[in-house]
Amino acid sequence: MAAALRSRLPELAERMALRIRSDVDAYRGESLIPLDSLRRSCHANADFVLSHLRRKGSPDAEAARETGRARAEQGVPLADTLRAYRIGSELLWTEIVAEARTRPEVSDDLLVSESADFWALFGLYAEAVAIAYRETAAELTSRGQARRYALVEALFTGVITDHTLWEAARELGLPEQGPYAVAVAEAGAPGEEPLAGVEAALRRAELPSAWRLLPDQQLALIALPTAAAETACLRVLRRSRARVGFSPCFSSLQGAPQNLRFARLALSGLPGTGPGVARFDDDPLAMVVAAAPAEAARLVEVTLRPVLDLPVAERSRLLNTLEHWFASGGSADATARGLFVHPNTVRYRLRRVEELTGRSLSDPRATTDIGAALLAVRDRAE
C-alpha cells in the first residue's frame, strides 16, 4: 500500500497543499507560504511517513524538523503549523484506508494495527515540528534582538549615515521623523533594568521606543508623535520609581547622540538619591554646571569664595537668601515672604553679597555667574 501511494505522491501532495491552504488561515495566499513551497513540504513529509511504513525501524523526523524550521522563519504561528500538519496526516491516512479497501488481503486487524503505528508516528513528527519551530523562533528572536541593540547603539553613537536613518527607524518600529526624546535611567547593579515594564507601558500609550541596556544605565529612544505625548511619556517614567534623566525633544534621529548627553546631564543633576525624573529643559543651567564639576568648582572659587569663608551662620543666611531670591525671579518682596523676614532685610543681605563678591546683582552677567556658582555649591553639598 505504501509503495502504491508513493507512486501517486505528486498528486497527493497537491491535494494536501490545497486542503491546508483552504482550511488554515496563515496558509492562505502567497504572503507567508508560496504554494510551491507548501507543495514540496507536503511531498517530503508524506514520503517520510510512507517510507517508514514500508521499512519500519527507527523513524526519520528530518522532514518534520525542516517544516518546523521553515514555518518559524516564515512567521507562521505554531498552532497553524501543527493544524496544517494534522490536516495533511489525516488526508494521508484516509488515502491509506482507501487503498487498503481495494486489497482483500488487508484485514481489519492489520489496518487497526497500522493505524496505531501511523498516529504514533504522527505524534512523534508533530513533536519534532514543534521543537524545531521553537528552537528556530528563539534563535530568530535572539538574532533580531541583537540586531535591534546594534541599531540603537549605532543611533546613539552617530555611526549611521543619513540615508540609512530611515531604514534604522523602520526596523526599530520608530517613525522616520520626530519629535523624539532620550531617557536614561540609573541601574542599581550591572544587568538590572531600572525601567522594566516601561517599554510595554509606552507601547500601550502608542509611544514607540527602542532600548539599550548598559552595565550602569538603561537607555531609551522614544517617539513623541502628538502634542500630549511628552506628558504621557513622563507620566509613565515617573511611575517606574527609577532615577531618570530626560532630554529635550528633537526632530531628527541624527540628534540622538547629543540628546543622549543631555539626558545623562539631566540624570547627573537629579537631586538626592531617591527616584525621580529630571528634564534637561527644566533647568538647563543646572545641567551644564553638573556636566563640568571641575569648572564649576573653579567658578565657585572665583565667585563665592568670600561668602563661603564667612562663619557658618552668616554664610547659611546669605546663601539661603540668594537661593530664594533666584527662585522668586529677583523679587525682594517675594523672597522676604518666603523667608518670613522684612524686605529691607533681604536687600541688606543682597548688598552684603555684592560687597563680598565684588559683583552687582543688577548686572545680568554677574548675576549669571553667581547663580551658576550657587548651583554648584548646592550640588556639592548634596
Side-chain angles (χ1 to χ4, degrees):
M1 289 188 298
L5 290 173
R6 287 190 78 207
S7 70
R8 305 203 308 269
L9 262 180
E11 179 262 336
L12 275 175
E14 178 75 17
R15 286 167 54 204
M16 286 180 188
L18 292 176
R19 175 76 62 81
I20 291 168
R21 173 155 286 195
S22 170
D23 293 355
V24 185
D25 289 343
Y27 285 75
R28 292 181 182 140
E30 295 280 310
S31 59
L32 291 180
I33 308 170
L35 181 58
D36 189 55
S37 171
L38 178 57
R39 189 185 296 116
R40 288 196 304 271
S41 178
C42 290
H43 189 290
N45 280 285
D47 192 27
F48 269 92
V49 171
L50 293 172
S51 296
H52 173 72
L53 292 176
R54 289 183 66 194
R55 296 191 308 265
K56 300 299 183 181
S58 299
D60 186 345
E62 181 54 35
R65 287 191 288 269
E66 179 57 33
T67 296
R69 287 191 288 267
R71 299 300 173 256
E73 289 172 351
Q74 291 163 333
V76 179
L78 178 56
D80 282 357
T81 300
L82 293 176
R83 185 171 176 227
Y85 212 80
R86 171 169 283 280
I87 288 171
S89 298
E90 288 173 348
L91 191 150
L92 181 58
W93 177 247
T94 299
E95 291 297 316
I96 291 173
V97 171
E99 181 68 25
R101 295 307 182 203
T102 69
R103 298 173 182 268
E105 70 273 19
V106 180
S107 67
D108 288 344
D109 288 343
L110 177 58
L111 197 56
V112 169
S113 174
E114 289 299 326
S115 172
D117 287 348
F118 179 90
W119 290 110
L121 193 63
F122 165 79
L124 185 148
Y125 280 14
E127 182 180 12
V129 168
I131 290 172
Y133 183 103
R134 293 190 181 104
E135 288 175 347
T136 304
E139 180 184 344
L140 291 171
T141 299
S142 176
R143 194 186 308 161
Q145 194 63 45
R147 167 76 175 165
R148 286 179 63 85
Y149 283 159
L151 284 174
V152 175
E153 182 75 10
L155 286 174
F156 280 139
T157 54
V159 300
I160 291 185
T161 60
D162 288 354
H163 88 266
T164 57
L165 282 174
W166 68 271
E167 294 177 353
R170 184 187 61 204
E171 286 200 45
L172 294 171
L174 298 172
E176 294 176 24
Q177 290 295 325
Y180 313 97
V182 174
V184 177
E186 183 181 284
E192 177 186 283
E193 291 189 48
L195 296 177
V198 168
E199 182 177 7
L202 291 174
R203 192 182 306 116
R204 288 193 295 272
E206 299 183 351
L207 301 176
S209 58
W211 296 74
R212 185 75 173 96
L213 183 63
L214 303 178
D216 59 338
Q217 292 178 336
Q218 189 173 18
L219 319 180
L221 177 59
I222 306 166
L224 304 173
T226 66
E230 183 177 2
T231 301
C233 179
L234 290 170
R235 186 164 53 246
V236 170
L237 291 172
R238 290 189 178 105
R239 286 202 300 264
S240 71
R241 307 297 295 165
R243 290 178 61 80
V244 183
F246 196 77
S247 78
C249 295
F250 55 101
S251 60
S252 169
L253 288 173
Q254 287 179 315
Q258 181 182 35
N259 282 278
L260 173 60
R261 175 170 168 75
F262 288 153
R264 282 176 164 156
L265 290 177
L267 177 59
S268 67
L270 185 64
T273 58
V277 178
R279 295 175 70 250
F280 184 92
D281 283 353
D282 285 344
D283 198 346
L285 182 57
M287 303 299 107
V288 173
V289 170
E295 291 79 0
R298 180 60 185 166
L299 178 62
V300 169
E301 285 297 313
V302 301
T303 305
L304 287 180
R305 174 48 59 192
V307 177
L308 298 179
D309 286 340
L310 293 171
V312 174
E314 185 178 4
R315 178 182 68 207
S316 178
R317 281 195 299 272
L318 294 184
L319 292 178
N320 195 29
T321 300
L322 273 177
E323 287 206 6
H324 278 78
W325 185 74
F326 276 105
S328 67
S331 168
D333 291 340
T335 302
R337 287 193 296 271
L339 294 173
F340 303 102
V341 298
H342 194 278
N344 286 339
T345 302
V346 171
R347 295 186 183 96
Y348 167 77
R349 292 176 183 176
L350 295 176
R351 283 196 299 272
R352 177 80 170 128
V353 168
E354 289 177 325
E355 292 168 359
L356 289 167
T357 62
R359 286 172 165 80
S360 170
L361 290 173
S362 60
D363 179 352
R365 293 187 62 177
T367 303
T368 301
D369 291 343
I370 292 174
L374 190 64
L375 289 171
V377 170
R378 183 192 66 189
D379 289 346
R380 190 165 59 184
E382 290 171 348

